[in-house]
Structures are given as structure tokens and as C-alpha cells.
Amino acid sequence: MPAAATINCLVVDDQQTIRSLVRSGLQELGFKTIHEAIDGEEGLRQMLTRPFGLVISDFNMPKLDGLGLLRAVRSHPPIQKTAFIMLTGRADKDLVQRAVQFGVNNYLVKPFTVAILQEKIEAVFGKLT
């Protein structure tokens, strides 16, 4: 059972409002170190410079979308084991299937509650302390 405060997080979304909502939910769950990126390219750059235990990434973004970011993460040995939750605005079966093929750990459909965010994270890490 990991302590939420020990897991470094990266929230990747091109919308500031969504990044703020995810950040707020993570803080409510006890996460302390939360970084943000405005697109997949920036997210990948950050991941290659510092370790993250969890990435929550939107699917639809300019430059490099969430699926492209996931593929890049899974192909870079130093970061390929990073827990990755895909954030999407709809329960698109095709998107979820493609993300699963590339190794996504879980997915989160917008809008979401803190309880659902916790459920999705705990499905990856186990019960948070």
C-alpha cells in the first residue's frame, strides 16, 4: 500500500481547467508532488528529466496526443514502467482498446469525482495510505 504523498504525479492536458480539477482531486487524496504539462510533447520532456510514479493524460491534445505519449513512454526503458491513466471525455471503446494495446494501466472518463479518481488510481497501485 503506497502512500499517496510518495508518488510523484504528472497531469497532462491542454485545458487548464481539467489540469486544475485533476490536481485538486489528487491533492484531496493526499498527493503532494504534482506537475503539469500542456501537451504530450511537454509531458514527455518532463518525464525524461525527472521520475514520475503516475501520469494522468488526456487523450485529445495538440502536438502529441495521449495515445502518442503512452506509446512513447512504453518505448523508453527508463520510464516505461510508469503508471499511466488515460483521461477521456467519453467512454470510447476503440480508444480504450488501443490504449490497452499500448499498455495503459487504467482510464478515467470526464466528468469524474474524487471517489472515481481514487478508485482508478487504487486499481493500479492498491489501496492508498
Side-chain angles (χ1 to χ4, degrees):
M1 293 188 294
T6 66
I7 302 170
N8 293 335
C9 300
L10 176 63
V11 179
V12 186
D13 197 303
D14 59 319
Q15 295 182 23
Q16 175 61 47
T17 304
I18 300 300
R19 290 194 314 271
S20 294
L21 287 171
V22 174
R23 173 185 282 276
S24 175
L26 290 169
Q27 288 172 330
E28 192 171 322
L29 295 173
F31 289 85
K32 301 289 182 209
T33 306
I34 306 164
H35 293 263
E36 297 181 13
I38 61 170
D39 59 45
E41 283 184 1
E42 181 183 327
L44 183 58
R45 276 194 303 275
Q46 287 192 42
M47 292 183 74
L48 292 172
T49 61
R50 70 175 66 89
F52 290 98
L54 173 64
V55 172
I56 299 177
S57 175
D58 189 27
F59 175 72
N60 292 311
M61 297 179 289
K63 296 186 182 178
L64 182 63
D65 68 16
L67 194 58
L69 176 58
L70 174 61
R71 290 172 67 182
V73 166
R74 295 299 182 240
S75 69
H76 282 78
I79 59 174
Q80 67 188 175
K81 300 288 187 198
T82 305
F84 199 109
I85 296 177
M86 188 72 70
L87 182 60
T88 182
R90 62 200 182 292
D92 183 337
K93 229 176 170 175
D94 181 54
L95 165 63
V96 172
Q97 288 175 341
R98 288 187 296 154
V100 167
Q101 288 174 343
F102 291 117
V104 76
N105 296 95
N106 213 330
Y107 70 96
L108 180 64
V109 178
K110 296 180 274 188
F112 60 89
T113 64
V114 174
I116 292 171
L117 177 63
Q118 180 176 4
E119 177 185 307
K120 298 295 184 172
I121 293 170
E122 288 183 345
V124 175
F125 289 99
K127 184 112 175 108
L128 298 171
T129 59

